């Protein structure tokens, strides 16, 4: 019976280490991140971290994967919770879910920090690319539904507009978590909404 329970126990320990590593990265950044930082955040020995993740890069990649999946799930949930028969409400919910809530937003801060690895790591590059593509797909669906029901009059193809919306919120989001004093969170949100209204012809956004 002991062998049956062990895989679940190991999975739970790996998940705890990934969570602790995420906290350590959010607090210290990737540069100079040490096994000791992760062990301290998890409340375990450095040997325990190395037992499950002999290579620090493998653990950081798992943190990135988890952050991407969690962020995408939160955006999908925001879209799904909005009124199904109201494309404007659904697009607004999606737009509201895309920007950091504060300059210290932990999810966005972690994602931007991890995306910095993309230029040096195929694994991180793949995750960043996947996140962008899946966000574009979410927006494309929202825009196509709005156009099909006559609520939106799109200024370009839904797919092209979706690319623009994701890139716009990514750019504003980076400035927010980088503490750009010239761009407040509420101002960035209104700028994204203004753009969305212009390209959809929908004043209700």
């Amino acid at each position: 019976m002991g062998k049956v329970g062990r895989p679940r126990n190991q999975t739970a320990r790996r998940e705890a280490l990934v969570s602790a590593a995420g906290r350590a990265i959010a607090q210290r950044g990737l540069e100079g991140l040490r096994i000791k930082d992760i062990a301290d955040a998890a409340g375990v020995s450095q040997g325990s971290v190395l037992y499950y993740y002999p290579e620090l890069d493998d653990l950081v990649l798992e943190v990135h994967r988890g952050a991407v999946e969690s962020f995408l799930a939160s955006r999908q949930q925001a879209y799904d919770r909005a009124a199904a028969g109201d494309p404007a409400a659904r697009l607004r919910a999606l737009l509201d879910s895309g920007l950091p809530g504060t300059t210290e937003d932990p999810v966005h801060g972690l994602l931007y920090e991890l995306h910095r690895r993309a230029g040096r790591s195929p694994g991180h590059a793949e995750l960043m690319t996947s996140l962008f593509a899946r966000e574009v797909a979410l927006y494309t669906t929202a825009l196509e539904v709005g156009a099909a029901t006559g609520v939106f009059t799109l200024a370009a193809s839904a797919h092209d507009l979706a690319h623009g919306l994701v890139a716009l919120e990514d750019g504003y989001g980076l400035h927010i978590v980088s503490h750009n004093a010239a761009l407040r969170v509420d101002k960035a949100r209104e700028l994204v909404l203004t753009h969305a209204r212009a390209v959809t012809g929908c004043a209700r956004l």
Side-chain angles (χ1 to χ4, degrees), residues 118-129:
R120 302 188 298 273
S121 163
H124 287 283
E126 182 179 344
L127 285 170
M128 187 178 73
T129 301

Side-chain angles (χ1 to χ4, degrees), residues 99-120:
L99 289 174
T102 68
T103 56
E104 305 299 331
D105 188 289
V107 175
H108 285 81
L110 181 59
L111 282 169
Y112 283 119
E113 186 71 21
L114 291 164
H115 285 351
R116 294 173 57 201
R117 285 280 175 99
R120 302 188 298 273

Side-chain angles (χ1 to χ4, degrees), residues 103 174-187:
T103 56
L174 179 58
H175 281 278
I176 290 168
V177 299
S178 299
H179 294 259
N180 181 346
L183 189 68
R184 303 184 314 275
V185 174
D186 57 344
K187 179 62 175 178

